[in-house]
Amino acid sequence: MKRQMTRMKCAARALACLVCLATVSAPVVRADGGAPVRIRDVRVGEHSGFERLVVELDAEAEIVWENGPEPGEESFYVAAAPKQKSRVIVTGLPHVGTVSVTEMKGGAHVAVEPRARRVRAYTLANPPRLVVDFAPPGKEAFTAPAGARALEPATTLGPLVLEPEPAA
């Protein structure tokens, strides 16, 4: 029974990830029909009270944020082509850790190593970019700044409800 529940939980998690991926699986193209959207730069920095990851784009793109798939990990699916097929940035920052940018069908997957932290994610314009801030764990509000378009993590399909197995 336990093994079946574990398999079903894994299947539900995989289905939730596929739903997230489906939202960015369309070809990477500009809204104006021009050249494909591209990631210009990925950078990480330390600020007073928080650390920041910036993914700069050459045009607006769809972005989906997922908590996971590992507990404490943050994943962003960006409908923009990365400069390299795979890139790993070892930051040494306590609330960011390692960031990986990996090409996938329809764009890029940006994954941030699991850590205990508070996270806020938002987009800014001029230039278009995804901004992700990481702060120490705490109960204080950690919301996107005024004028930014705040992102929220994608929700899952909900709790998995299992019917009891018939007695053999």
Side-chain angles (χ1 to χ4, degrees), residues 12 17 63 68 85 92 96 113 127 131 145-146 156 159:
C17 287
I63 299 169
K85 287 193 180 289
V96 177
E113 178 180 10
V131 179
T156 63

Side-chain angles (χ1 to χ4, degrees), residues 66-75 109 111-115 117:
E66 175 193 22
N67 294 124
E70 297 297 321
E73 180 181 22
E74 305 299 329
S75 289
H109 175 224
V112 184
E113 178 180 10
R115 297 282 171 106
R117 59 187 166 215

Side-chain angles (χ1 to χ4, degrees), residues 85-166:
K85 287 193 180 289
S86 181
R87 178 180 175 196
V88 176
I89 303 166
V90 180
T91 71
L93 297 173
H95 301 104
V96 177
T98 301
V99 177
S100 66
V101 181
T102 308
E103 181 179 56
M104 57 180 256
K105 182 179 180 179
H109 175 224
V110 179
V112 184
E113 178 180 10
R115 297 282 171 106
R117 59 187 166 215
R118 290 176 295 148
V119 180
R120 65 182 177 197
Y122 49 96
T123 59
L124 294 171
N126 300 322
R129 60 202 182 276
L130 164 65
V131 179
V132 187
D133 294 334
F134 304 92
K139 295 183 180 184
E140 308 85 45
F142 194 55
T143 57
R149 186 175 68 87
L151 299 176
E152 294 293 329
T155 56
T156 63
L157 300 175
L160 182 63
V161 178
L162 299 174
E163 296 294 324
E165 282 187 33

